Amino acid sequence: KHLPLNIRVPIEEDNPSIIREEALCIRCGRCKEVCEKQIAVHGTYRFLDTANRAICIHCGQCANVCPVNSIQERNHCSQVEEAIADPEKIVIVSTSPSVRIALGEAFGMAPGSFVEGKMVALLRALGFDYVLDTNFAADLTIMEEASELIRRITDHGVLPQFTSCCPAWVKYVETYYPELTNHLSTAKSPIGMQGPTIKTYFAKKESLDPKRIINVALTPCTAKKFEIERE
């Protein structure tokens, strides 16, 4: 099913974050190198021990270094387009902070160009009903994690407390250091908080039917695609 681990990073067909187009792969090994040396996942297991299943924390760094786009993030644009075209849907996009200083580079602007205004105008032109900022939920995360830390210190709970804001990091701990999972904060990630908050607080504030709301996360992180499918 998979090529040997000394050739490249294995990717399962049901991986929620990334896919590989087999015909484009040139077996260069760059995916293996970044996964092994920088992410510390590749090279830590044998197929014999995992029932031939690939281990992946869904960080997407292999897709970043693939020179031929054989590895790409799983594309959900068609579902977004479908929702926007449905007059019964209220489609909201929550933008991550890093997007507004990275998006311009894809259009030939200098790296780090601040394009928030252009980004918001473009998203509205594409048909999104509301454009919101995930910074709101990032602040919620900070407050929730800080409150939890105070409780742990006051009640002599488990310390140190690790952040739970990154689903790739959480998956890494669960996979390699399961004995440390109780050190993770119980708070959701910012995007994990943003969705429910939109369908409760924001929906009530704007008099919207939460059942009609589709919340789209515009984020640079492929692990969010994995996170949203978790129960």
Side-chain angles (χ1 to χ4, degrees), residues 129-192:
D129 297 299
Y130 295 88
V131 181
L132 304 181
D133 197 323
T134 313
N135 261 351
F136 179 86
D139 288 342
L140 290 181
T141 304
I142 291 169
M143 291 188 288
E144 290 295 330
E145 290 193 342
S147 298
E148 183 174 1
L149 179 59
I150 291 171
R151 287 198 304 273
R152 289 190 185 211
I153 293 172
T154 304
D155 301 335
H156 304 288
V158 177
L159 293 172
Q161 174 183 297
F162 302 148
T163 183
S164 55
C165 65
C166 171
W169 155 245
V170 170
K171 182 68 183 295
Y172 186 88
V173 173
E174 290 174 337
T175 303
Y176 291 99
Y177 301 98
E179 71 276 12
L180 297 180
T181 52
N182 60 347
H183 286 268
L184 289 166
S185 164
T186 59
K188 291 183 177 183
S189 72
I191 286 178

Side-chain angles (χ1 to χ4, degrees), residues 89-104:
K89 302 295 184 186
I90 302 166
V91 189
I92 298 173
V93 60
S94 297
T95 62
S96 291
S98 56
V99 176
R100 54 177 162 266
I101 59 165
L103 185 61

